[in-house]
mmCIF file of all heavy atoms in Angstrom:
data_model
loop_
_atom_site.group_PDB
_atom_site.id
_atom_site.type_symbol
_atom_site.label_atom_id
_atom_site.label_comp_id
_atom_site.label_asym_id
_atom_site.label_seq_id
_atom_site.Cartn_x
_atom_site.Cartn_y
_atom_site.Cartn_z
ATOM 1 N N ARG A 29 7.488 -14.631 200.675
ATOM 2 C CA ARG A 29 6.919 -13.420 200.059
ATOM 3 C C ARG A 29 8.013 -12.466 199.580
ATOM 4 O O ARG A 29 7.866 -11.806 198.551
ATOM 5 C CB ARG A 29 5.997 -12.697 201.051
ATOM 6 C CG ARG A 29 4.573 -13.235 201.041
ATOM 7 C CD ARG A 29 3.623 -12.285 201.766
ATOM 8 N NE ARG A 29 3.871 -12.237 203.196
ATOM 9 C CZ ARG A 29 3.321 -13.072 204.066
ATOM 10 N NH1 ARG A 29 2.520 -14.035 203.651
ATOM 11 N NH2 ARG A 29 3.597 -12.962 205.362
ATOM 12 N N ILE A 30 9.103 -12.370 200.342
ATOM 13 C CA ILE A 30 10.190 -11.462 199.934
ATOM 14 C C ILE A 30 11.244 -12.188 199.093
ATOM 15 O O ILE A 30 12.303 -11.647 198.811
ATOM 16 C CB ILE A 30 10.850 -10.785 201.156
ATOM 17 C CG1 ILE A 30 11.545 -11.814 202.045
ATOM 18 C CG2 ILE A 30 9.838 -9.953 201.940
ATOM 19 C CD1 ILE A 30 12.429 -11.206 203.116
ATOM 20 N N GLN A 31 10.924 -13.443 198.728
ATOM 21 C CA GLN A 31 11.795 -14.259 197.869
ATOM 22 C C GLN A 31 13.181 -14.493 198.482
ATOM 23 O O GLN A 31 14.187 -14.511 197.788
ATOM 24 C CB GLN A 31 11.921 -13.632 196.471
ATOM 25 C CG GLN A 31 10.586 -13.568 195.743
ATOM 26 C CD GLN A 31 10.716 -13.048 194.327
ATOM 27 O OE1 GLN A 31 11.522 -12.165 194.059
ATOM 28 N NE2 GLN A 31 9.925 -13.594 193.417
ATOM 29 N N MET A 32 13.189 -14.672 199.801
ATOM 30 C CA MET A 32 14.407 -15.074 200.507
ATOM 31 C C MET A 32 14.495 -16.595 200.422
ATOM 32 O O MET A 32 13.634 -17.303 200.950
ATOM 33 C CB MET A 32 14.350 -14.619 201.965
ATOM 34 C CG MET A 32 15.490 -15.114 202.838
ATOM 35 S SD MET A 32 17.064 -14.293 202.530
ATOM 36 C CE MET A 32 16.769 -12.668 203.222
ATOM 37 N N LYS A 33 15.501 -17.094 199.738
ATOM 38 C CA LYS A 33 15.608 -18.535 199.503
ATOM 39 C C LYS A 33 16.105 -19.247 200.754
ATOM 40 O O LYS A 33 17.175 -18.930 201.266
ATOM 41 C CB LYS A 33 16.555 -18.797 198.330
ATOM 42 C CG LYS A 33 16.569 -20.251 197.891
ATOM 43 C CD LYS A 33 17.485 -20.439 196.689
ATOM 44 C CE LYS A 33 17.543 -21.912 196.282
ATOM 45 N NZ LYS A 33 18.460 -22.127 195.147
ATOM 46 N N PRO A 34 15.347 -20.221 201.276
ATOM 47 C CA PRO A 34 15.789 -20.935 202.484
ATOM 48 C C PRO A 34 16.947 -21.868 202.188
ATOM 49 O O PRO A 34 17.184 -22.258 201.040
ATOM 50 C CB PRO A 34 14.535 -21.733 202.889
ATOM 51 C CG PRO A 34 13.775 -21.918 201.614
ATOM 52 C CD PRO A 34 14.053 -20.704 200.775
ATOM 53 N N ASN A 35 17.683 -22.231 203.231
ATOM 54 C CA ASN A 35 18.767 -23.194 203.076
ATOM 55 C C ASN A 35 18.407 -24.472 203.841
ATOM 56 O O ASN A 35 17.355 -24.545 204.492
ATOM 57 C CB ASN A 35 20.101 -22.595 203.541
ATOM 58 C CG ASN A 35 20.127 -22.287 205.025
ATOM 59 O OD1 ASN A 35 19.250 -22.693 205.790
ATOM 60 N ND2 ASN A 35 21.129 -21.562 205.463
ATOM 61 N N PRO A 36 19.241 -25.505 203.796
ATOM 62 C CA PRO A 36 18.900 -26.760 204.489
ATOM 63 C C PRO A 36 18.616 -26.591 205.982
ATOM 64 O O PRO A 36 17.748 -27.276 206.537
ATOM 65 C CB PRO A 36 20.146 -27.630 204.256
ATOM 66 C CG PRO A 36 20.704 -27.143 202.957
ATOM 67 C CD PRO A 36 20.467 -25.661 202.967
ATOM 68 N N ILE A 37 19.334 -25.652 206.648
ATOM 69 C CA ILE A 37 19.121 -25.460 208.094
ATOM 70 C C ILE A 37 17.740 -24.865 208.365
ATOM 71 O O ILE A 37 17.098 -25.185 209.363
ATOM 72 C CB ILE A 37 20.229 -24.572 208.693
ATOM 73 C CG1 ILE A 37 21.597 -25.227 208.468
ATOM 74 C CG2 ILE A 37 20.019 -24.342 210.185
ATOM 75 C CD1 ILE A 37 22.775 -24.358 208.827
ATOM 76 N N THR A 38 17.271 -24.004 207.458
ATOM 77 C CA THR A 38 15.918 -23.435 207.607
ATOM 78 C C THR A 38 14.894 -24.554 207.691
ATOM 79 O O THR A 38 13.983 -24.533 208.533
ATOM 80 C CB THR A 38 15.577 -22.517 206.418
ATOM 81 O OG1 THR A 38 16.688 -21.679 206.107
ATOM 82 C CG2 THR A 38 14.371 -21.661 206.729
ATOM 83 N N PHE A 39 15.044 -25.548 206.824
ATOM 84 C CA PHE A 39 14.073 -26.650 206.806
ATOM 85 C C PHE A 39 14.211 -27.550 208.023
ATOM 86 O O PHE A 39 13.215 -28.108 208.494
ATOM 87 C CB PHE A 39 14.216 -27.446 205.502
ATOM 88 C CG PHE A 39 13.585 -26.760 204.325
ATOM 89 C CD1 PHE A 39 14.355 -26.092 203.393
ATOM 90 C CD2 PHE A 39 12.208 -26.757 204.167
ATOM 91 C CE1 PHE A 39 13.770 -25.442 202.319
ATOM 92 C CE2 PHE A 39 11.608 -26.110 203.097
ATOM 93 C CZ PHE A 39 12.390 -25.448 202.172
ATOM 94 N N ILE A 40 15.413 -27.678 208.556
ATOM 95 C CA ILE A 40 15.565 -28.424 209.816
ATOM 96 C C ILE A 40 14.764 -27.734 210.919
ATOM 97 O O ILE A 40 14.066 -28.376 211.700
ATOM 98 C CB ILE A 40 17.056 -28.544 210.200
ATOM 99 C CG1 ILE A 40 17.766 -29.510 209.252
ATOM 100 C CG2 ILE A 40 17.211 -29.017 211.653
ATOM 101 C CD1 ILE A 40 19.269 -29.570 209.425
ATOM 102 N N GLY A 41 14.869 -26.390 210.974
ATOM 103 C CA GLY A 41 14.101 -25.621 211.957
ATOM 104 C C GLY A 41 12.605 -25.805 211.789
ATOM 105 O O GLY A 41 11.865 -25.972 212.774
ATOM 106 N N LEU A 42 12.120 -25.770 210.534
ATOM 107 C CA LEU A 42 10.684 -25.920 210.258
ATOM 108 C C LEU A 42 10.191 -27.313 210.629
ATOM 109 O O LEU A 42 9.132 -27.467 211.258
ATOM 110 C CB LEU A 42 10.412 -25.639 208.783
ATOM 111 C CG LEU A 42 10.563 -24.184 208.336
ATOM 112 C CD1 LEU A 42 10.604 -24.091 206.818
ATOM 113 C CD2 LEU A 42 9.424 -23.322 208.885
ATOM 114 N N LEU A 43 10.941 -28.337 210.235
ATOM 115 C CA LEU A 43 10.538 -29.716 210.542
ATOM 116 C C LEU A 43 10.552 -29.953 212.051
ATOM 117 O O LEU A 43 9.665 -30.623 212.588
ATOM 118 C CB LEU A 43 11.476 -30.701 209.838
ATOM 119 C CG LEU A 43 11.325 -30.787 208.315
ATOM 120 C CD1 LEU A 43 12.506 -31.534 207.703
ATOM 121 C CD2 LEU A 43 10.018 -31.471 207.945
ATOM 122 N N ASN A 44 11.537 -29.388 212.728
ATOM 123 C CA ASN A 44 11.620 -29.514 214.181
ATOM 124 C C ASN A 44 10.425 -28.832 214.853
ATOM 125 O O ASN A 44 9.858 -29.344 215.822
ATOM 126 C CB ASN A 44 12.937 -28.904 214.655
ATOM 127 C CG ASN A 44 13.248 -29.253 216.095
ATOM 128 O OD1 ASN A 44 13.063 -30.387 216.522
ATOM 129 N ND2 ASN A 44 13.719 -28.284 216.859
ATOM 130 N N ALA A 45 10.047 -27.660 214.324
ATOM 131 C CA ALA A 45 8.888 -26.939 214.871
ATOM 132 C C ALA A 45 7.622 -27.774 214.730
ATOM 133 O O ALA A 45 6.831 -27.895 215.671
ATOM 134 C CB ALA A 45 8.728 -25.603 214.143
ATOM 135 N N CYS A 46 7.425 -28.350 213.553
ATOM 136 C CA CYS A 46 6.240 -29.190 213.323
ATOM 137 C C CYS A 46 6.261 -30.412 214.234
ATOM 138 O O CYS A 46 5.222 -30.841 214.751
ATOM 139 C CB CYS A 46 6.186 -29.639 211.866
ATOM 140 S SG CYS A 46 5.854 -28.301 210.704
ATOM 141 N N SER A 47 7.456 -30.975 214.454
ATOM 142 C CA SER A 47 7.592 -32.156 215.299
ATOM 143 C C SER A 47 7.131 -31.877 216.719
ATOM 144 O O SER A 47 6.386 -32.657 217.318
ATOM 145 C CB SER A 47 9.052 -32.617 215.291
ATOM 146 O OG SER A 47 9.229 -33.725 216.135
ATOM 147 N N HIS A 48 7.554 -30.729 217.271
ATOM 148 C CA HIS A 48 7.210 -30.401 218.660
ATOM 149 C C HIS A 48 5.765 -29.950 218.826
ATOM 150 O O HIS A 48 5.278 -29.888 219.952
ATOM 151 C CB HIS A 48 8.158 -29.323 219.191
ATOM 152 C CG HIS A 48 9.531 -29.838 219.458
ATOM 153 N ND1 HIS A 48 9.794 -30.854 220.345
ATOM 154 C CD2 HIS A 48 10.746 -29.492 218.944
ATOM 155 C CE1 HIS A 48 11.082 -31.102 220.372
ATOM 156 N NE2 HIS A 48 11.688 -30.297 219.525
ATOM 157 N N ALA A 49 5.106 -29.634 217.730
ATOM 158 C CA ALA A 49 3.704 -29.202 217.825
ATOM 159 C C ALA A 49 2.739 -30.270 217.327
ATOM 160 O O ALA A 49 1.524 -30.055 217.314
ATOM 161 C CB ALA A 49 3.509 -27.921 217.015
ATOM 162 N N GLY A 50 3.267 -31.420 216.894
ATOM 163 C CA GLY A 50 2.405 -32.498 216.413
ATOM 164 C C GLY A 50 1.753 -32.209 215.076
ATOM 165 O O GLY A 50 0.717 -32.802 214.737
ATOM 166 N N MET A 51 2.344 -31.309 214.297
ATOM 167 C CA MET A 51 1.768 -30.921 212.996
ATOM 168 C C MET A 51 2.334 -31.846 211.914
ATOM 169 O O MET A 51 3.219 -31.499 211.141
ATOM 170 C CB MET A 51 2.081 -29.455 212.723
ATOM 171 C CG MET A 51 1.449 -28.529 213.757
ATOM 172 S SD MET A 51 2.032 -26.811 213.691
ATOM 173 C CE MET A 51 1.320 -26.238 212.160
ATOM 174 N N VAL A 52 1.774 -33.072 211.872
ATOM 175 C CA VAL A 52 2.326 -34.123 211.017
ATOM 176 C C VAL A 52 2.134 -33.802 209.542
ATOM 177 O O VAL A 52 3.077 -33.892 208.744
ATOM 178 C CB VAL A 52 1.703 -35.490 211.366
ATOM 179 C CG1 VAL A 52 2.245 -36.573 210.438
ATOM 180 C CG2 VAL A 52 1.995 -35.851 212.818
ATOM 181 N N ASN A 53 0.923 -33.430 209.158
ATOM 182 C CA ASN A 53 0.654 -33.144 207.736
ATOM 183 C C ASN A 53 1.498 -31.979 207.236
ATOM 184 O O ASN A 53 2.057 -32.023 206.132
ATOM 185 C CB ASN A 53 -0.828 -32.853 207.513
ATOM 186 C CG ASN A 53 -1.676 -34.107 207.674
ATOM 187 O OD1 ASN A 53 -1.188 -35.212 207.437
ATOM 188 N ND2 ASN A 53 -2.917 -33.936 208.080
ATOM 189 N N GLU A 54 1.583 -30.926 208.062
ATOM 190 C CA GLU A 54 2.390 -29.762 207.674
ATOM 191 C C GLU A 54 3.863 -30.160 207.511
ATOM 192 O O GLU A 54 4.545 -29.710 206.586
ATOM 193 C CB GLU A 54 2.266 -28.652 208.715
ATOM 194 C CG GLU A 54 0.899 -27.996 208.788
ATOM 195 C CD GLU A 54 -0.100 -28.725 209.661
ATOM 196 O OE1 GLU A 54 0.174 -29.899 210.017
ATOM 197 O OE2 GLU A 54 -1.140 -28.143 209.983
ATOM 198 N N GLY A 55 4.349 -31.025 208.415
ATOM 199 C CA GLY A 55 5.740 -31.483 208.333
ATOM 200 C C GLY A 55 5.999 -32.280 207.066
ATOM 201 O O GLY A 55 7.024 -32.106 206.407
ATOM 202 N N ARG A 56 5.054 -33.154 206.721
ATOM 203 C CA ARG A 56 5.196 -33.928 205.477
ATOM 204 C C ARG A 56 5.256 -33.000 204.269
ATOM 205 O O ARG A 56 6.067 -33.193 203.348
ATOM 206 C CB ARG A 56 4.020 -34.890 205.327
ATOM 207 C CG ARG A 56 4.032 -36.068 206.307
ATOM 208 C CD ARG A 56 2.787 -36.903 206.088
ATOM 209 N NE ARG A 56 2.692 -38.035 206.991
ATOM 210 C CZ ARG A 56 1.566 -38.407 207.602
ATOM 211 N NH1 ARG A 56 0.449 -37.704 207.438
ATOM 212 N NH2 ARG A 56 1.548 -39.470 208.391
ATOM 213 N N GLN A 57 4.394 -31.973 204.265
ATOM 214 C CA GLN A 57 4.357 -31.031 203.132
ATOM 215 C C GLN A 57 5.666 -30.251 203.017
ATOM 216 O O GLN A 57 6.175 -30.027 201.921
ATOM 217 C CB GLN A 57 3.182 -30.067 203.301
ATOM 218 C CG GLN A 57 1.817 -30.697 203.075
ATOM 219 C CD GLN A 57 0.671 -29.803 203.521
ATOM 220 O OE1 GLN A 57 0.858 -28.611 203.773
ATOM 221 N NE2 GLN A 57 -0.523 -30.375 203.631
ATOM 222 N N ILE A 58 6.208 -29.842 204.156
ATOM 223 C CA ILE A 58 7.470 -29.079 204.147
ATOM 224 C C ILE A 58 8.605 -29.945 203.614
ATOM 225 O O ILE A 58 9.448 -29.480 202.842
ATOM 226 C CB ILE A 58 7.778 -28.543 205.560
ATOM 227 C CG1 ILE A 58 6.884 -27.338 205.850
ATOM 228 C CG2 ILE A 58 9.250 -28.157 205.708
ATOM 229 C CD1 ILE A 58 6.864 -26.897 207.276
ATOM 230 N N PHE A 59 8.615 -31.224 204.006
ATOM 231 C CA PHE A 59 9.654 -32.131 203.512
ATOM 232 C C PHE A 59 9.573 -32.256 201.987
ATOM 233 O O PHE A 59 10.599 -32.231 201.290
ATOM 234 C CB PHE A 59 9.486 -33.510 204.167
ATOM 235 C CG PHE A 59 10.668 -34.418 204.001
ATOM 236 C CD1 PHE A 59 11.766 -34.311 204.836
ATOM 237 C CD2 PHE A 59 10.680 -35.386 203.002
ATOM 238 C CE1 PHE A 59 12.862 -35.149 204.694
ATOM 239 C CE2 PHE A 59 11.770 -36.224 202.842
ATOM 240 C CZ PHE A 59 12.860 -36.111 203.692
ATOM 241 N N LYS A 60 8.356 -32.373 201.467
ATOM 242 C CA LYS A 60 8.169 -32.456 200.005
ATOM 243 C C LYS A 60 8.550 -31.141 199.328
ATOM 244 O O LYS A 60 9.179 -31.134 198.268
ATOM 245 C CB LYS A 60 6.712 -32.797 199.680
ATOM 246 C CG LYS A 60 6.328 -34.230 200.004
ATOM 247 C CD LYS A 60 4.845 -34.466 199.723
ATOM 248 C CE LYS A 60 4.415 -35.874 200.147
ATOM 249 N NZ LYS A 60 2.948 -36.066 199.987
ATOM 250 N N LEU A 61 8.160 -30.021 199.950
ATOM 251 C CA LEU A 61 8.472 -28.694 199.392
ATOM 252 C C LEU A 61 9.979 -28.504 199.266
ATOM 253 O O LEU A 61 10.473 -27.991 198.255
ATOM 254 C CB LEU A 61 7.887 -27.611 200.311
ATOM 255 C CG LEU A 61 8.079 -26.158 199.875
ATOM 256 C CD1 LEU A 61 7.122 -25.829 198.732
ATOM 257 C CD2 LEU A 61 7.819 -25.208 201.038
ATOM 258 N N MET A 62 10.692 -28.929 200.288
ATOM 259 C CA MET A 62 12.148 -28.795 200.277
ATOM 260 C C MET A 62 12.752 -29.540 199.083
ATOM 261 O O MET A 62 13.618 -29.011 198.381
ATOM 262 C CB MET A 62 12.711 -29.367 201.586
ATOM 263 C CG MET A 62 14.225 -29.378 201.677
ATOM 264 S SD MET A 62 14.813 -30.157 203.200
ATOM 265 C CE MET A 62 14.464 -31.880 202.855
ATOM 266 N N LYS A 63 12.275 -30.756 198.847
ATOM 267 C CA LYS A 63 12.825 -31.570 197.756
ATOM 268 C C LYS A 63 12.349 -31.099 196.384
ATOM 269 O O LYS A 63 13.149 -30.957 195.462
ATOM 270 C CB LYS A 63 12.420 -33.041 197.941
ATOM 271 C CG LYS A 63 13.087 -33.731 199.101
ATOM 272 C CD LYS A 63 13.033 -35.254 198.975
ATOM 273 C CE LYS A 63 11.595 -35.770 198.894
ATOM 274 N NZ LYS A 63 11.576 -37.248 198.779
#
């Protein structure tokens, strides 16, 4: 929302969060969003 551009480490944190919560679909979407 504030247009803060994430870096590769941000996405590692997000994917790790989804992994520990079992949020498979959300994790797949984040991986695609990053690319």
Side-chain angles (χ1 to χ4, degrees):
R29 274 194 291 272
I30 65 169
Q31 297 184 324
M32 173 74 72
K33 188 178 178 182
N35 65 12
I37 301 171
T38 316
F39 282 103
I40 289 173
L42 290 166
L43 289 167
N44 192 42
C46 291
S47 178
H48 287 301
M51 297 169 70
V52 178
N53 290 332
E54 292 85 346
R56 289 178 181 137
Q57 288 168 14
I58 284 168
F59 194 82
K60 288 177 184 175
L61 182 75
M62 176 184 73
K63 290 199 301 180

